[in-house]
Amino acid sequence: IGHASTDSLVSLSIGGYATPSDMVHVQDGDVSIVTNNVTNGTANYLKFYKSGNATDGSHTVVADDELLGGLTFYGSDGDSFALAAGMKAVVNGTPGDGDMPGSLEFWTSADGAEAETTRLTIGASGHASFTGAVTVTGVLTASSTVTLSDDVTIAEGKKIIFDSSDTYIYANTDANEDLVIGADDAIILEPDGD
């Protein structure tokens, strides 16, 4: 264990690295958080705190879209460490006393780049937004409205199953959208036997 000081900041290095660039640097080893040895639901957390006040220990409300913290992953590109993927927590709405709406954003770097592109955002309302293609290899269950803003392709031999009498697909005629069936395709309505 070693340390390096710069002005009022002290960097802690574990594992023998001489010049850490962050306040805590662990070289060639894992970092573990051991939970309490009890049989109830108690466990330990990795916590990130953020205040809009420049004075340590003081409180000023944070703002909508303000970054609260994140995790990032880097790989060496042969010259330096390049950003590959990460996640971050962001204020997602107007906060107030006892009210802190938040979102989680998951992002990756595209092939040929080392810059973040958001792929999945889970907002304060619970709405999940994907920005790329979504592949489902099992069952996709929706308990609310599913809004599609692009084409949906159903593989040969596969189908969409409605398991409720009040479930349906509709065309939004107010937006001049049509429900289109290809020349070699069909919609087949079958009774459920009840």
Side-chain angles (χ1 to χ4, degrees):
I1 298 178
H3 71 276
S5 299
T6 302
D7 297 331
S8 60
L9 298 179
V10 177
S11 295
L12 173 65
S13 176
I14 302 173
Y17 191 73
T19 56
S21 59
D22 298 304
M23 293 189 69
V24 177
H25 182 104
V26 179
Q27 182 71 28
D28 300 331
D30 298 326
V31 176
S32 299
I33 298 176
V34 180
T35 78
N36 299 324
N37 293 322
V38 292
T39 58
N40 59 26
T42 303
N44 295 325
Y45 292 86
L46 180 62
K47 300 180 179 181
F48 297 83
Y49 293 90
K50 175 75 177 288
S51 170
N53 198 303
T55 302
D56 290 346
S58 298
H59 287 277
T60 298
V61 65
V62 291
D64 186 24
D65 293 326
E66 188 165 341
L67 178 65
L68 298 178
L71 299 173
T72 52
F73 302 88
Y74 298 79
S76 177
D77 61 8
D79 179 64
S80 63
F81 285 108
L83 184 63
M87 62 172 288
K88 55 187 174 184
V90 179
V91 180
N92 184 219
T94 302
D97 189 17
D99 177 21
M100 189 55 57
S103 66
L104 280 177
E105 299 178 3
F106 298 83
W107 44 270
T108 61
S109 293
D111 190 17
E114 54 176 295
E116 65 181 68
T117 300
T118 302
R119 309 299 187 183
L120 166 63
T121 300
I122 304 173
S125 66
H127 178 260
S129 174
F130 295 85
T131 57
V134 178
T135 301
V136 179
T137 56
V139 176
L140 175 63
T141 302
S143 59
S144 186
T145 301
V146 177
T147 302
L148 306 172
S149 58
D150 207 337
D151 296 336
V152 177
T153 301
I154 308 298
E156 182 178 354
K158 302 300 180 181
K159 55 193 171 187
I160 298 176
I161 300 174
F162 298 103
D163 61 1
S164 174
S165 60
D166 59 355
T167 305
Y168 54 89
I169 294 177
Y170 71 94
N172 185 355
T173 55
D174 291 338
N176 296 318
E177 296 173 358
D178 298 319
L179 183 60
V180 179
I181 307 300
D184 297 325
D185 300 315
I187 292 179
I188 301 175
L189 303 177
E190 297 179 346
D192 60 9
D194 295 334

